[in-house]
Amino acid sequence: QVQLVESGGGWVQVGESLRLSCVASGTIFDENAMAWYRQVHGNQRELVAGIGSDGETKYSRSVKGRFAISRDNAKNTVYLQMNSLKPDDTGVYFCNLRPAWLSFTYEDGYWGPGTQVTVSS
């Protein structure tokens, strides 16, 4: 089993920044990828950013250039630095861990409980 715990969410105003963290524990795949997904109003979760075991990253178009995902393998932690936040960034952000071979296209793997991010104008 894998446990994921997110932190760092909150309420901010337009243009401000937040940094999300997610710590993984338990039986973690040697070769894994980690990601952040966002869910708005109970709709399907959508990929915000992902990072592979080799450090290769993937971003959604809406956050590219503003958000940065990184990981510390020694701490089993993934981060999401969110800059220049917009109201459209509002949602519940979920941390995800999956085998490295599993595409971010699929909503699969292990999930954290989520952390709320609210951007107010």
Side-chain angles (χ1 to χ4, degrees):
Q1 271 299 73
V2 174
Q3 294 80 42
L4 301 170
V5 179
E6 303 104 336
S7 61
W11 181 91
V12 294
Q13 294 189 319
V14 169
E16 294 185 338
S17 299
L18 277 176
R19 189 191 194 207
L20 305 183
S21 300
C22 171
V23 180
S25 60
T27 306
I28 301 170
F29 313 114
D30 288 339
E31 297 292 323
N32 63 74
M34 299 189 78
W36 291 95
Y37 286 71
R38 177 174 61 217
Q39 185 177 44
V40 180
H41 300 314
N43 293 331
Q44 186 172 2
R45 284 181 282 211
E46 58 177 12
L47 177 70
V48 175
I51 185 166
S53 57
D54 58 358
E56 184 174 353
T57 58
K58 181 175 182 177
Y59 295 94
S60 70
R61 287 184 183 180
S62 64
V63 307
K64 207 166 188 178
R66 299 187 297 121
F67 290 12
I69 188 170
S70 61
R71 61 188 292 169
D72 184 335
N73 292 331
K75 297 180 179 180
N76 290 327
T77 301
V78 64
Y79 305 96
L80 184 67
Q81 178 66 43
M82 305 187 294
N83 300 324
S84 302
L85 283 160
K86 305 175 181 179
D88 285 349
D89 296 321
T90 295
V92 180
Y93 284 70
F94 293 90
C95 178
N96 172 262
L97 183 144
R98 62 184 57 212
W101 54 263
L102 182 61
S103 169
F104 294 122
T105 302
Y106 301 103
E107 199 175 329
D108 205 342
Y110 295 95
W111 299 90
T115 184
Q116 176 71 43
V117 171
T118 303
V119 184
S120 174
S121 56

